[in-house]
């Protein structure tokens, strides 16, 4: 008995670690992509402004549509109400998602490599690379995120799984430290070689880890399949216990979702969060260059850059402990208040306090990204509510994650477009021409008369006013979200009761 319990404990630990490690193979590539893809096409491939805007616009459409499309293809069979003897078990669903990860993970890594070698006209390559990369990233992210809702229902178990994801995501962020040391616009070979090494590591990781998890869950599925076969044989010749229900159409599903008030308030808040996260990622190098480069060394800039990518994951480990004690809702609310407070303090202090500016630039990204890491827990709770309210056959977790992305991913495209537009309007600085626009003479003169370069002042105002605006809007939306406290506990109890015998006990894997 003791030997059996020891083996069970090792199995739990290994499964949780393997699930978390899948986040490593994504983050080592995606962090580098976010940091360098704009700079690569603008400064190295010399893409023109029209092609850049066209590419981002098409990317906006594809980026939004592929999430619900892939989610619908994956989960459309789960939408009908449960029928007697026909319920799909959670181990089967998990196995299906792992098979998708073993295929799409390596393809995602290969699509990452397409950015760093010029193989077509800049405009065409920009468009194709973005769409290809995001398609495979979506498949990986949807199925990995959906596993969080499929593997566990209790907040404790989900927090534990998220904890392992945060640990491995932090390790993946170390690629940012290394990338800064090999990044050179004049000599791109070292950076390309670095990207090849990252992609090879990611391909091997996705393949072996997903296959290992598939073998574990295959052992869980076989007994349930045998049981289902036996029940089917016993029911031969008997009248059906219930009339089969028609599958839910996409129109019916959208109508159900439109009545899901917590879902609508959540995506309103999350749209702003996605915008702010990607705004920080896209313009972090610009802020370093124009706000701090004259006052800090290159090594200090590298450390700040690395901290801003690693710290959110490490910080999330502390946030998760707070979530266990106070709940996810309250922790996210506190983070919005903190973001607002820090931005107001920085605005009042001004751009001349260099050390305070360093702390703010790093902390702004740390807390914003830290909030993003917690939102998967909220979406998993929305999956539970959707399952209970609409009496699903099986929780359509990938589809709901896809619908969230449909409504929030536009923020990823709006971030560079709105950021470059604000910078050009206020300062006349055009990242495509590297020359002041003629329309900005007044802005430049007024800024110069204040004793600060116009570009530096414009960057500073962008740095503080964007988080202030985002925090105010998010606090307004988040105050209307009601899926927390006793209501959330009631939803989880109902789901566990409805799927009794069909859910995976994470502690038994």
């Amino acid at each position: 008995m003791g030997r059996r319990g020891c083996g069970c404990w090792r199995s739990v630990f290994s499964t949780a670690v393997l699930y978390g490690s899948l986040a490593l193979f994504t983050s080592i590539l995606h962090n580098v992509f976010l940091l360098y893809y704009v700079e690569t096409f603008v400064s190295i491939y010399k893409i023109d402004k029209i092609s850049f805007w066209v590419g981002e616009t098409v990317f906006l459409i594809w980026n939004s549509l592929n999430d619900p499309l892939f989610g619908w293809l994956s989960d459309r069979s789960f939408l009908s109400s449960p029928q007697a003897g026909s319920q799909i078990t959670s181990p089967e669903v998990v196995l299906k998602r792992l098979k998708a990860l073993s295929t799409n993970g390596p393809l995602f890594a290969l699509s990452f490599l397409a950015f760093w070698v010029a193989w077509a006209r800049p405009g065409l390559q920009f468009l194709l690379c973005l769409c290809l990369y995001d398609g495979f990233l979506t498949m990986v992210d949807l199925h990995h995120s959906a596993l969080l809702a499929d593997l566990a229902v209790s907040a404790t178990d989900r927090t534990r799984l998220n904890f392992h994801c945060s640990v491995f995501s932090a390790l993946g962020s170390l690629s940012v430290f290394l990338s800064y040391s090999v990044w050179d616009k004049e000599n791109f070979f070292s950076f390309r070689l670095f990207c090849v090494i990252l992609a090879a590591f990611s391909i091997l990781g996705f393949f072996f880890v997903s296959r290992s998890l598939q073998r574990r869950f295959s052992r869980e599925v076989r007994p349930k399949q045998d049981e289902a076969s036996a029940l089917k044989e016993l029911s031969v010749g008997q009248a059906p216990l219930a009339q089969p229900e028609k599958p839910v159409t996409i129109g019916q599903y959208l109508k159900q979702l439109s009545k899901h008030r917590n879902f609508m308030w959540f995506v309103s808040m999350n749209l702003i969060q996605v915008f702010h996260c990607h705004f920080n990622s896209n313009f972090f190098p610009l802020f370093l260059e124009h706000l701090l480069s004259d006052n800090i060394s290159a090594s200090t800039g590298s450390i700040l850059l690395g901290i801003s990518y690693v710290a959110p994951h490490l910080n999330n480990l502390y946030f998760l402990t707070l979530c266990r004690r106070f709940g996810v809702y309250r922790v996210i609310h506190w983070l919005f208040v903190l973001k607002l407070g820090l931005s107001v303090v920085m605005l009042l202090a001004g751009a001349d306090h260099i050390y305070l500016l360093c702390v703010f630039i790093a902390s702004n990204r740390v807390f914003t990204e830290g909030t993003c890491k917690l939102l998967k827990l909220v979406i998993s709770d929305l999956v539970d509510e959707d399952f209970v309210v609409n009496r699903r056959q099986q929780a359509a977790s990938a589809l709901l994650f896809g619908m969230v992305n449909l409504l929030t991913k536009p923020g990823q495209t709006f971030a560079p477009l709105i950021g470059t537009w604000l910078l050009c309007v206020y300062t006349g600085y055009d990242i495509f021409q590297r020359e002041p626009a003629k329309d900005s003479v007044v802005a430049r003169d007024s800024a110069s008369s204040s004793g600060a370069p116009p570009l530096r002042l414009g960057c500073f105002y962008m740095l503080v006013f964007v988080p202030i605006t985002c925090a105010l809007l998010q606090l307004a939306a988040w105050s209307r979200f009601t899926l927390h406290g006793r209501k959330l506990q009631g939803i989880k109890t109902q789901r566990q009761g409805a799927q009794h015998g069909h859910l995976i006990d994470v502690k038994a894997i």
Side-chain angles (χ1 to χ4, degrees):
M1 184 71 180
R3 185 182 305 171
R4 183 179 179 183
C6 182
C8 180
W9 181 85
R10 287 197 300 266
S11 182
V12 172
F13 178 78
S14 298
T15 299
V17 169
L18 289 175
Y19 170 77
S21 69
L22 292 171
L24 167 66
F25 309 129
T26 302
S27 62
I28 60 171
L29 304 183
H30 194 53
N31 287 331
V32 174
F33 161 78
L34 290 175
L35 194 59
Y36 295 109
Y37 90 93
V38 173
E39 185 71 11
T40 296
F41 276 90
V42 171
S43 301
I44 297 176
Y45 299 157
K46 307 297 183 184
I47 188 173
D48 61 276
K49 182 189 295 188
I50 299 299
S51 297
F52 179 81
W53 281 71
V54 169
E56 287 285 359
T57 302
V58 175
F59 174 55
L60 165 64
I61 299 171
W62 170 243
N63 193 24
S64 301
L65 294 180
N66 61 18
D67 290 274
L69 173 63
F70 296 154
W72 174 261
L73 293 175
S74 172
D75 289 2
R76 65 186 184 277
S77 61
F78 304 155
L79 295 179
S80 58
S81 298
Q83 304 170 28
S86 66
Q87 191 165 28
I88 300 172
T89 63
S90 286
E92 292 175 308
V93 175
V94 170
L95 193 59
K96 177 182 177 181
R97 302 206 189 285
L98 289 172
K99 289 179 180 178
L101 284 171
S102 68
T103 301
N104 292 286
L107 293 175
F108 159 70
L110 291 175
S111 67
F112 166 79
L113 292 177
F115 283 93
W116 319 116
V117 178
W119 47 267
R121 292 183 178 180
L124 177 63
Q125 181 177 348
F126 184 69
L127 174 62
L128 294 178
C129 283
L130 280 179
C131 292
L132 190 66
Y133 176 85
D134 186 69
F136 290 118
L137 174 63
T138 296
M139 289 295 291
V140 170
D141 189 54
L142 274 183
H143 287 287
H144 187 249
S145 299
L147 283 173
L148 181 65
D150 293 332
L151 286 173
V153 174
S154 72
T156 301
D157 287 339
R158 285 179 178 171
T159 301
R160 183 158 54 91
L161 291 170
N162 203 325
F163 177 90
H164 286 88
C165 286
S166 295
V167 171
F168 282 99
S169 294
L171 293 175
S173 298
L174 295 176
S175 63
V176 175
F177 281 105
L178 300 175
S179 69
Y180 198 81
S181 63
V182 298
W183 172 256
D184 186 353
K185 291 184 287 187
E186 304 301 326
N187 182 11
F188 210 42
F189 176 78
S190 297
F191 183 77
R192 285 172 175 155
L193 182 61
F194 172 73
C195 291
V196 170
I197 294 172
L198 290 182
F201 176 75
S202 181
I203 290 172
L204 294 174
F206 270 116
F207 182 79
F208 286 111
V209 170
S210 58
R211 288 300 177 90
S212 177
L213 286 171
Q214 282 182 59
R215 286 193 295 270
R216 292 172 185 234
F217 284 98
S218 294
R219 293 195 297 268
E220 180 83 5
V221 168
R222 287 193 197 103
K224 294 183 182 293
Q225 288 177 335
D226 294 339
E227 180 183 351
S229 299
L231 290 173
K232 185 176 181 180
E233 290 177 3
L234 291 173
S235 65
V236 173
Q238 299 180 7
L241 297 176
Q243 293 294 328
E245 295 194 15
K246 295 180 179 179
V248 176
T249 65
I250 185 64
Q252 292 172 324
Y253 178 74
L254 292 176
K255 185 176 180 180
Q256 293 172 349
L257 210 57
S258 66
K259 297 178 180 179
H260 196 168
R261 293 180 61 84
N262 283 320
F263 173 83
M264 301 306 293
W265 284 117
F266 173 79
V267 296
S268 300
M269 177 276 292
N270 197 21
L271 172 64
I272 303 169
Q273 188 67 23
V274 170
F275 166 82
H276 194 199
C277 285
H278 285 83
F279 175 86
N280 286 339
S281 298
N282 294 151
F283 292 95
F284 196 95
L286 187 74
F287 293 148
L288 285 182
E289 179 181 356
H290 296 291
L291 290 174
L292 299 174
S293 61
D294 294 337
N295 300 283
I296 63 173
S297 64
S299 59
T300 303
S302 177
I303 293 173
L304 274 177
L305 188 62
I307 288 175
S308 72
Y309 276 84
V310 176
H313 304 290
L314 298 178
N315 216 26
N316 194 42
L317 304 180
Y318 173 66
F319 292 157
L320 288 171
T321 62
L322 293 178
C323 289
R324 293 192 191 102
R325 183 176 179 183
F326 300 105
V328 180
Y329 175 84
R330 292 179 68 182
V331 173
I332 292 176
H333 178 83
W334 292 338
L335 287 172
F336 291 154
V337 173
L338 183 61
K339 176 165 65 176
L340 177 62
L342 290 175
S343 302
V344 171
V345 169
M346 190 69 248
L347 176 63
L348 296 176
D352 296 329
H353 293 76
I354 301 302
Y355 292 108
L356 182 60
L357 198 57
C358 289
V359 172
F360 177 75
I361 289 176
S363 64
N364 180 40
R365 177 171 167 77
V366 167
F367 291 125
T368 302
E369 290 291 332
T371 304
C372 288
K373 307 303 175 189
L374 299 177
L375 296 184
K376 286 185 179 180
L377 295 173
V378 182
I379 301 175
S380 297
D381 293 338
L382 290 171
V383 170
D384 297 337
E385 187 178 33
D386 175 72
F387 172 85
V388 171
V389 172
N390 296 298
R391 298 183 64 247
R392 304 291 187 206
Q393 172 185 346
Q394 172 71 29
S397 47
L399 180 54
L400 192 68
F401 272 93
M403 295 305 299
V404 168
N405 290 338
L406 169 66
L407 300 173
T408 60
K409 269 195 172 180
Q412 181 177 341
T413 300
F414 290 149
L417 297 181
I418 293 177
T420 54
W421 176 76
L422 286 174
L423 200 62
C424 185
V425 167
Y426 184 76
T427 68
Y429 180 77
D430 192 332
I431 64 172
F432 301 96
Q433 299 177 358
R434 304 290 181 178
E435 293 179 359
K438 296 179 180 179
D439 306 351
S440 61
V441 175
V442 175
R444 183 169 64 248
D445 291 343
S446 61
S448 299
S449 63
S450 66
L455 180 56
R456 187 173 188 273
L457 193 61
C459 287
F460 175 74
Y461 284 144
M462 281 179 60
L463 179 67
V464 294
F465 278 121
V466 166
I468 287 175
T469 305
C470 290
L472 290 173
L473 294 174
Q474 287 175 305
L475 284 169
W478 197 234
S479 64
R480 306 297 298 273
F481 188 82
T482 61
L483 188 59
H484 54 89
R486 291 183 178 178
K487 181 176 181 179
L488 176 60
Q489 190 57 45
I491 289 290
K492 290 184 177 296
T493 301
Q494 290 182 63
R495 181 183 174 185
Q496 289 172 324
Q499 287 193 300
H500 179 70
H502 296 279
L503 283 170
I504 295 175
D505 182 3
V506 179
K507 298 175 183 177
I509 299 173

